[in-house]
Amino acid sequence: MSAPEIAASAQTQPKIDMLGYGLAFAGAALFSTKGIFIKLAFAQGVSVEATLALRMMMALPIYLVILAMLLLRNSKLRGLMTPCRLLGAMSVGALGYYLSSYLDFAGLAFVSAQYERLVLFTYPFFVLLFGVWFFGDRMNWKVVPAMLLSYSGLMVIFAWNLSVEPDGLVTGTLLVLGSALTFAFYQHLAKRQMLVLGTMVFTCVGMSTAAVLAIGQSLVVDGPATYAAFTPNIWGIGLMLGIFGTVLPSFLLNGGIARIGARATSSTASFGPIVTIVLAVFVLGEAFTWIHALGTGLVLLGSWLFARTDRNSRSRTK
């Protein structure tokens, strides 16, 4: 191949959006702290509903302020906020940030933070499958071995947990798996909303909707008097969960989706379980045996192979 041909070939290769991938990695890392804060709240006797509501109470004012500033400064954005589009953004936000979050929080009441993150980590596979089934994407059969490898890792840890602490394991696994399913579907729908409303506006609308639903649910289930009895330590956990486990990663992750798409963003999640494992061992005192190492290694290896194979296949088709 001549020099001009090599240069032309290099120019046609798709450029990697480093900013998009950076946003996605940062979002995945911060979202991975969520399980730690939730477990700390549970240890203080806070219910699933109240923990989710605490998260949203801390986050809601920030989203509302940002949304108000965006709409006041940009008349074009105000014109985009038709009732139909607003309802669409609210519905997608409720799916990804309320339903998916509630299933995840409920699952964490039964399983460890490490195991929860690994189960939730399977959502990139569902992103691929939903894209094929509902959104016209092409199926990439080359990624199936990688998917099987990751699920074999989950089965290793599941079998170990079943022999050591079987109580609630199946229930917790199904709840977290439900969270992964709903979050994967959310990512496809969110991409379409962000193309119309923009990342910031959609995130604010979606998260605000989820916050209202979560707070309302807790007020019905737990009652307003519950919050008067919370200690400063519990409120501090809620603040950390709201800022570092919700607000910052939601903007970072949605920014990544807007730049590189749902499938590419989901493929960057491999960094998340590592963060969760380290924090779970040193902060929560959870065990990490050679069984955990083997299962985690298989899950991460499968995810890495999945992301690499999927990315290479998509690059060849462009």
Side-chain angles (χ1 to χ4, degrees), residues 9 21 26 70-71 149 172 180 205 240-241 294 304:
S9 177
Y21 276 95
L70 290 171
L71 295 178
L149 187 62
V205 172
M240 298 292 286
L241 180 58
L294 174 62
W304 177 77

Side-chain angles (χ1 to χ4, degrees), residues 24-317:
F25 271 114
L30 285 177
F31 261 134
S32 297
T33 66
K34 174 170 57 69
I36 307 302
F37 294 127
I38 294 170
K39 282 291 191 181
L40 291 174
F42 288 171
Q44 297 289 323
V46 185
S47 69
V48 171
E49 291 79 11
T51 302
L52 181 57
L54 268 177
R55 175 198 195 194
M56 294 305 190
M57 284 179 182
M58 300 302 171
L60 180 58
I62 299 174
Y63 288 117
L64 291 178
V65 168
I66 294 175
L67 179 61
M69 292 175 60
L70 290 171
L71 295 178
L72 287 173
R73 292 179 178 179
N74 194 329
S75 60
K76 291 183 179 179
L77 288 178
R78 294 197 298 272
L80 292 174
M81 298 288 285
T82 63
C84 184
R85 288 172 178 165
L86 182 60
L87 182 61
M90 292 171 66
S91 300
V92 175
L95 173 68
Y97 293 122
Y98 169 66
L99 179 58
S100 181
S101 292
Y102 181 73
L103 292 172
D104 186 34
F105 277 50
L108 272 166
F110 297 97
V111 300
S112 69
Q114 298 177 65
Y115 182 69
E116 173 265 351
R117 182 51 47 179
L118 290 175
V119 175
L120 198 61
F121 187 52
T122 61
Y123 85 89
F125 306 148
F126 299 126
V127 171
L128 169 65
L129 294 177
F130 289 161
V132 173
W133 293 340
F134 303 111
F135 300 100
D137 292 349
R138 294 179 60 185
M139 180 60 187
N140 183 2
W141 294 103
K142 294 180 180 180
V143 302
V144 172
M147 295 167 64
L148 295 176
L149 187 62
S150 279
Y151 278 107
S152 68
L154 278 180
M155 290 305 299
V156 167
I157 301 179
F158 179 84
W160 183 87
N161 285 333
L162 196 61
S163 64
V164 178
E165 295 182 61
D167 294 343
L169 179 62
V170 174
T171 300
T173 301
L174 291 176
L175 286 168
V176 178
L177 197 60
S179 177
L181 283 164
T182 50
F183 190 70
F185 200 65
Y186 153 82
Q187 287 213 330
H188 283 288
L189 298 176
K191 171 69 174 180
R192 287 152 178 80
Q193 291 290 328
M194 285 184 278
L195 290 174
V196 177
L197 299 177
T199 303
M200 297 286 282
V201 171
F202 167 74
T203 302
C204 290
V205 172
M207 287 298 300
S208 297
T209 303
V212 171
L213 292 173
I215 295 169
Q217 179 188 24
S218 180
L219 290 176
V220 172
V221 174
D222 301 300
T226 300
Y227 296 90
F230 284 166
T231 64
N233 185 41
I234 292 176
W235 286 106
I237 293 172
L239 180 63
M240 298 292 286
L241 180 58
I243 302 302
F244 295 103
T246 306
V247 175
L248 291 178
S250 68
F251 282 117
L252 291 169
L253 189 64
N254 282 344
I257 294 173
R259 293 186 67 94
I260 62 177
R263 285 172 68 170
T265 299
S266 67
S267 71
T268 65
S270 58
F271 189 56
I274 299 174
V275 175
T276 302
I277 289 170
V278 172
L279 292 176
V281 171
F282 288 100
V283 177
L284 301 178
E286 291 184 0
F288 187 75
T289 66
W290 69 270
I291 296 291
H292 292 87
L294 174 62
T296 301
L298 290 172
V299 173
L300 295 180
L301 177 60
S303 179
W304 177 77
L305 289 173
F306 172 87
R308 180 184 179 186
T309 304
D310 189 46
R311 183 172 59 248
N312 289 342
S313 297
R314 287 187 287 115
S315 297
R316 293 191 192 99
T317 58

